Amino acid sequence: MKKKIIIDCDVGVDDALALILAFHSPELEIGAVTGVNGNVSLEQVFANIQKVLFLIQPQHHPFIARGADRPLKGIPTYAHSVHGEDGLGGVKIDLKKEEKWWHLFSGPAHELITEMARQHPDELTLIAIGPLTNLALALQKDLPGMKKLKELVIMGGAVRTQGNITPHAEFNIFVDPLAAQMVLASGLPITLVPLDVTHRVFLSSRLIEERIKPLSNPFGRFVTEATGYSLTSQRFRRGSEVFHLHDPLAVAVAIDPDLVRKERLSILVEIEEGERYGQTFEVAEEEASAAHKLDVCLGVNSEKFLELFLSRLGA
Ligand code: BDR
Ligand code: CA
């Protein structure tokens, strides 16, 4: 039986790679893709969802919906330096007006999430790979609907490791810590996929040269261009030696939970402004309510993940 999936994302280069992995995986049935302000503005995210679906051309058209255009509190923080001005590293994908690879949901993302959860009680997996604003709104507006989700797989946080947007915080949590606090304390069945594991899965120049280039299909070309890989310097955007596959790992965990080693931990989010703003931190069991307990991924079989990811690019 295929797992029914909704993906909430802020496309983003690695979000795009996560979508390709998800739609190319026979284990999953993607019912919806919802957008949230994050790496780039909501409007750009929404345009990118359509571009990536146009690239993938899925047989079963998912619903798509716009979500929050700003965090619950404060102002957006974008990640243009990582994902390019347009969020897709400037890759040109020309949408054809007459071709639609999706069904447009007219309401907001949080409504689509809870509506689908109600239609498929205890069957739906929500994979969240952007800031958690849409999920927090869904909890605020329809908690009973959210309780009908079977599981949530969330890419976010840095538990026993450093952050990537500040020394303490990971980007998705930092953009909207208030939303993250609500979601992580909701008591819903959450698997957290933090930097502790996503920093161990990455593309290198060797993988691009030996495994991606020979694919010579649109997906291989997309990976090379969107990650800003330079044939001359053999480096990625900003001169980086590696390109982290944060969001694809979250999708892979939904496909094959055995790729990771998990521990059940009580996790809190720092919402006070200051140097630790947006930090996800572990507390002793007695310092938090049972609702704060999450399955936190702390180990990953990187090779097995990469084989899965690369094999699905060829699809
Ligand atoms: C997360 O932040 C975003 O920039 C990526 O898309 C990923 O979801 C990694 O910290
Ligand atoms: Ca993302």
Side-chain angles (χ1 to χ4, degrees), residues 32-35 42-43 46 50 62-68 102-113 115-116:
V33 180
T34 52
L42 177 70
E43 275 320 300
F46 203 60
Q50 296 176 17
F63 279 97
I64 62 170
R66 283 188 178 79
W102 55 83
H103 303 290
L104 182 62
F105 181 76
S106 54
H110 67 79
E111 241 174 67
L112 178 57
I113 292 170
E115 209 171 275
M116 286 185 65

Side-chain angles (χ1 to χ4, degrees), residues 5 24 47-48 85 92 102 125 127 144 156 160 162-163 183 192-193 212 238 240 264-265 274 314:
I5 305 281
H24 282 181
N48 290 349
E85 271 316 297
K92 227 172 127 42
W102 55 83
T125 298
I127 304 177
R160 294 180 185 167
Q162 286 201 336
V183 174
L192 192 69
V193 185
I212 307 265
R238 300 193 296 174
S240 180
R264 199 144 175 83
L265 302 176

Side-chain angles (χ1 to χ4, degrees), residues 10 14-15 39 79 83 129 155 164 170-172 195 246-247:
D10 62 333
D14 65 323
D15 300 73
N39 287 318
H83 301 270
I129 54 178
M155 190 282 128
N164 60 355
E170 179 279 329
F171 180 81
N172 288 341
L195 295 182
H246 305 283
D247 294 344

Side-chain angles (χ1 to χ4, degrees), residues 200-220:
R200 292 190 225 160
V201 292
F202 46 80
L203 294 174
S204 58
S205 68
R206 187 184 64 77
L207 283 177
I208 295 279
E209 300 293 339
E210 291 177 11
R211 303 290 301 275
I212 307 265
K213 274 201 207 159
L215 291 174
S216 37
N217 71 14
F219 304 104

Side-chain angles (χ1 to χ4, degrees), residues 1 42 80 143 180 191 236 260 275 280 292:
M1 256 253 292
L42 177 70
H80 294 295
L143 178 60
T191 297
F236 297 91
V260 284
E275 75 172 306
T280 41
H292 290 88

Side-chain angles (χ1 to χ4, degrees), residues 196-197 200 249 259-262 296-302:
D196 305 63
V197 279
R200 292 190 225 160
L249 183 60
L259 285 172
V260 284
R261 179 182 60 77
K262 299 175 209 166
V296 181
C297 301
L298 292 173
V300 58
N301 185 336
S302 311

